[in-house]
Amino acid sequence: MRTDRCGDLRITDVGRTVTLCGWVDRRREHGEHLAFVDLRDRSGVVQLVVDGAHDLRSEFVLRATGTVRERPADTANEALATGEVEIEIEAVEVLSVAEPPPFPLDERTDIDEVLRLRHRYVDLRRPRLQHNLEVRAQVNSAVRRAMEEQGFIEVETPMLVASTPEGARDFVVPSRKEPGSFYALPQSPQIFKQLCMVGGLDRYYQIARCLRDEDLRSDRQFEFMQLDAEASFVSQEDVLGFISFAVSAAAEAVTGERPGDIDRISWEEAMERYGSDKPDVRFGMELIELTEVFANTEFRAFQTPCVKGIRVPGGSDISRSRLDDLTDRCKAWGAKGLVWMRVTPDELDSPVDKFLTDDERAGLRTAMNAEVGDLLLLVADERRTVRHILGLLRLELGRPPLTAGGLNFLWVVDFPLFEGLDDVGNPIPAHHPFTMPHEDDIVLLDDGDRLAIRSQAYDLVLNGWELGSGSVRIHERDVQEKIFSVLGIGSEEAQAKFGFLLDAFRYGTPPHAGFAFGMDRLTAILAGEENIREVIAYPKTQSGTDPLTSAPTSIDDRHLEELGLRLLPPTD
RNA sequence: GGUCCUGUGGUGCAGUUUGGAGUGCACGCCGGCCUGUCAAGCCGGAGGUCGCGGGUUCAAAUCCCGUCAGGACCGCCA
């Protein structure tokens, strides 16, 4: 149908007769007998010269035949890859007419996202999305190659799986053959990949679709893609190496530059310094320990297990109303309050200054390296709360745009095995119940401080986004049973929930470890996008709807009947 | 479950604080002119449920209440 793609034509093609197909990008008429038509396909745009263009409107689909010629002197367009040539058209066929698009296809304006999604097929024509989907394909391809180079084989796992009560809310699919029973769509292939290890596949990977019925965000969709991997006879160190290699390959495929070694930080240090288990290390404003400074304070608000602060350089000009707003935010996040202090030449300008001793003022200034013009923000509470609040406050005040400052990968290691206790007093697994405790801390399982047990679990962070996580798994049945017992899961319950995994472990289980990271998130950052919807061809809105297809939709009664389902009346 | 922001011709905005005729800007669309443009240019024209409902008022895009949609975030996401 065509001989060339629009964007490929160069000065070396002059003299050739070519046939091109594409969309009318723009048209410039100069009277009855001269018009320029920019023809666009995925490869780019080329200028057609036609004798009158009244019937060639925006977004018409054309097939045009003509001769490539050099543009006349001084009319080349340097901004265009094809700008040195133009096509003198001999014949044009309109393959398809088009109504004016519902929004402009140029990149100069931000269009309402619902409108873009409703007409996604038009939106996809824009260079931005064409580029993003190309980046996505490059990332997929590079990651596949990287994993295969390291001896991993691709294995597909089912989409209709058994629901498990742990973790995120499942999407469920009613069973027709067994009315009243349901499949779940996989939150991840976690169990299956471990079974692959028992199955002797040695090194498994998959770019897997995962589904979680939880509230959506700019970095979260109901369905998302993960590079999912698992390997036998490997240590945590090996896994970090595999994954570092894969994400570096992806980055290199997109940027042309291979990132250097990825830094590491322990979970404990991340929480202490950044108040987050996914620290954005692209900027300072670290959390500073002040508990000792106020150890003997008379100021009641600081008579807490922990006091920490952040220093906002030059922040003393932040208005009182903004400070009130920040205080309100901190309270909404769970703080009792926020103490602010403006650093002036000879004093601390603060509502609480009168409660502090000279020693405390001096100690504070020293600890925080306070300089005139700074703003100091302090929170006092339980250590866990202080870290959390200041971590959020730090991002609120200092976080650069997601894609600023290059790629800052970071490994967070030595996660705790448990994070807090549930209502009944049982520990809650921080990662999942198959995570191997840190060797040095295993003794604490029996009668130690269980919340102090570290695990062999690790996260990969990029510019403050959690890219993914993994762990060394428990491969010994007795250790697994011990963990279940600590978690308060009885053997019957464990058998009911994970029996098939425990059964499998009876038949010869290799030590194994794995990881999974979000392809959408990695792609977004590599494409320079703040929002993963921009790198997904057909994403959903924050409320989980698809303006293009109107999903989710109701289904008819016969369909429900067949599945053995009846709807409850709507609640008011 | 919660907090905050947004909603005005096809598109992007201004107008809302301080109520006074659907007022304005840019793009697009339709028609005309135009033989070297490339965000072409010039002239003319069409196009409106100010998201929706209610209230206050002589009068509401503007103030109040409710509601819908979208977005950002907190919770949630083993």
Side-chain angles (χ1 to χ4, degrees):
Chain A
M1 227 178 159
R2 61 180 175 184
T3 62
D4 293 83
R5 302 192 309 164
C6 299
D8 295 340
L9 297 171
R10 294 292 183 274
I11 194 81
T12 49
D13 294 303
V14 166
R16 290 182 54 217
T17 297
V18 296
T19 300
L20 306 172
C21 294
W23 286 260
V24 174
D25 193 60
R26 205 167 255 117
R27 147 189 93 123
R28 296 173 292 281
E29 285 187 278
H30 290 259
E32 203 176 342
H33 291 296
L34 175 66
F36 302 102
V37 172
D38 291 337
L39 193 67
R40 181 193 70 236
D41 64 18
R42 199 183 97 200
S43 64
V45 164
V46 70
Q47 175 167 288
L48 313 182
V49 185
V50 296
D51 182 358
H54 296 283
D55 50 353
L56 303 181
R57 302 296 171 122
S58 276
E59 301 305 315
F60 277 27
V61 184
L62 308 184
R63 178 168 184 254
T65 299
T67 308
V68 182
R69 71 180 184 201
E70 184 172 6
R71 292 201 190 184
D74 299 327
T75 63
N77 184 352
E78 288 177 10
L80 222 55
T82 60
E84 285 187 285
V85 298
E86 60 191 11
I87 317 297
E88 188 179 15
I89 291 304
E90 286 134 30
V92 176
E93 182 185 351
V94 175
L95 298 176
S96 176
V97 298
E99 289 178 23
F103 50 85
L105 297 194
D106 61 58
E107 301 289 321
R108 295 199 303 277
T109 46
D110 287 329
I111 309 297
D112 176 63
E113 213 179 331
V114 184
L115 191 65
R116 291 176 57 199
L117 293 180
R118 186 172 299 137
H119 303 278
R120 193 61 159 179
Y121 40 84
V122 172
D123 199 27
L124 288 172
R125 291 179 198 163
R126 306 201 306 164
R128 177 188 191 175
L129 285 188
Q130 298 253 322
H131 172 256
N132 288 353
L133 293 180
E134 263 173 43
V135 168
R136 189 183 179 99
Q138 285 169 347
V139 170
N140 279 335
S141 171
V143 165
R144 278 212 164 83
R145 259 180 285 128
M147 296 311 287
E148 280 163 13
E149 276 173 36
Q150 299 180 106
F152 287 78
I153 71 165
E154 185 171 4
V155 178
E156 287 142 46
T157 53
M159 292 297 288
L160 296 173
V161 303
S163 177
T164 53
E166 273 74 23
R169 191 178 293 114
D170 282 324
F171 279 101
V172 294
V173 178
S175 162
R176 173 177 60 85
K177 292 196 165 277
E178 256 184 65
S181 290
F182 296 82
Y183 300 96
L185 302 177
Q187 297 173 24
S188 78
Q190 182 62 39
I191 304 278
F192 289 102
K193 69 175 173 178
Q194 291 193 241
L195 294 177
C196 282
M197 296 302 99
V198 181
L201 292 173
D202 196 72
R203 291 185 182 182
Y204 142 95
Y205 90 97
Q206 179 183 195
I207 293 180
R209 191 174 295 272
C210 304
L211 299 107
R212 296 176 191 174
D213 187 3
E214 298 290 347
D215 289 357
L216 285 62
R217 292 285 167 76
S218 59
D219 61 347
R220 296 187 343 212
Q221 285 272 300
F222 280 154
E223 46 187 313
F224 57 99
M225 306 303 289
Q226 284 200 337
L227 180 277
D228 192 53
E230 194 79 13
S232 296
F233 311 116
V234 296
S235 64
Q236 166 170 327
E237 203 59 35
D238 295 318
V239 175
L240 301 196
F242 296 143
I243 300 303
S244 296
F245 182 74
V247 294
S248 297
E252 185 179 18
V254 176
T255 66
E257 217 170 297
R258 200 168 188 90
D261 288 344
I262 298 177
D263 287 338
R264 294 186 195 184
I265 189 174
S266 73
W267 178 87
E268 181 63 27
E269 186 180 350
M271 295 306 293
E272 276 298 300
R273 289 172 57 193
Y274 301 100
S276 170
D277 60 2
K278 46 178 180 178
D280 191 336
V281 295
R282 293 175 298 160
F283 67 105
M285 282 176 57
E286 291 185 21
L287 281 54
I288 295 161
E289 184 62 45
L290 299 168
T291 310
E292 281 304 308
V293 174
F294 297 106
N296 302 307
T297 189
E298 299 285 307
F299 181 36
R300 300 191 65 164
F302 283 178
Q303 292 169 357
T304 54
C306 176
V307 185
K308 289 169 92 76
I310 57 176
R311 179 175 73 94
V312 186
S316 66
D317 56 356
I318 291 177
S319 70
R320 180 60 191 266
S321 64
R322 171 70 170 150
L323 291 171
D324 289 343
D325 171 58
L326 290 172
T327 304
D328 288 343
R329 277 169 194 265
C330 288
K331 286 178 178 168
W333 290 333
K336 293 185 183 67
L338 175 68
V339 170
W340 55 263
M341 304 175 175
R342 295 189 178 113
V343 184
T344 60
D346 38 33
E347 261 310 338
L348 290 173
D349 168 23
S350 171
V352 308
D353 183 64
K354 56 180 176 285
F355 300 114
L356 305 182
T357 65
D358 284 344
D359 277 355
E360 286 166 348
R361 292 190 191 101
L364 178 68
R365 292 182 85 125
T366 306
M368 299 200 73
N369 279 319
E371 289 179 22
V372 172
D374 289 346
L375 175 71
L376 309 181
L377 297 171
L378 280 65
V379 172
D381 210 306
E382 298 293 331
R383 178 160 299 269
R384 186 190 166 92
T385 307
V386 170
R387 287 167 164 177
H388 180 230
I389 303 300
L390 285 177
L392 291 172
L393 201 55
R394 173 177 175 268
L395 292 176
E396 168 78 23
L397 290 168
R399 184 167 198 190
L402 178 66
T403 58
L407 301 173
N408 285 261
F409 289 100
L410 180 69
W411 284 110
V412 181
V413 299
D414 294 340
F415 269 66
L417 191 62
F418 307 115
E419 50 171 18
L421 305 173
D422 66 15
D423 306 335
V424 205
N426 291 320
I428 304 162
H431 187 53
H432 57 58
F434 320 116
T435 306
M436 182 80 94
H438 198 288
E439 284 177 22
D440 300 341
D441 296 349
I442 272 185
V443 290
L444 298 173
L445 268 181
D446 286 316
D447 51 3
D449 175 5
R450 287 168 172 166
L451 294 184
I453 301 174
R454 290 166 299 165
S455 67
Q456 298 185 54
Y458 31 86
D459 272 16
L460 180 60
V461 175
L462 174 55
N463 293 5
W465 267 13
E466 183 192 326
L467 219 51
S469 59
S471 61
V472 176
R473 325 298 186 189
I474 298 167
H475 69 281
E476 293 155 304
R477 215 178 131 88
D478 55 341
V479 178
Q480 185 66 68
E481 280 171 356
K482 166 91 66 180
I483 293 288
F484 280 146
S485 125
V486 169
L487 290 173
I489 302 175
S491 54
E492 271 179 39
E493 189 183 355
Q495 193 62 34
K497 286 178 180 170
F498 308 110
F500 54 95
L501 182 68
L502 297 176
D503 286 347
F505 280 8
R506 290 206 284 231
Y507 296 101
T509 307
H512 59 287
F515 199 81
F517 67 80
M519 298 291 290
D520 309 271
R521 290 181 181 176
L522 177 60
T523 302
I525 295 173
L526 290 176
E529 294 287 359
E530 304 249 341
N531 191 311
I532 65 170
R533 293 190 297 271
E534 299 295 346
V535 299
I536 297 171
Y538 302 101
K540 292 186 175 50
T541 65
Q542 197 169 71
S543 57
T545 62
D546 176 9
L548 177 64
T549 64
S550 302
T553 61
S554 57
I555 57 175
D556 62 44
D557 290 342
R558 250 189 324 183
H559 202 161
L560 284 171
E561 177 94 7
E562 191 173 45
L563 297 166
L565 298 177
R566 188 168 300 146
L567 297 180
L568 292 171
T571 50
D572 294 316

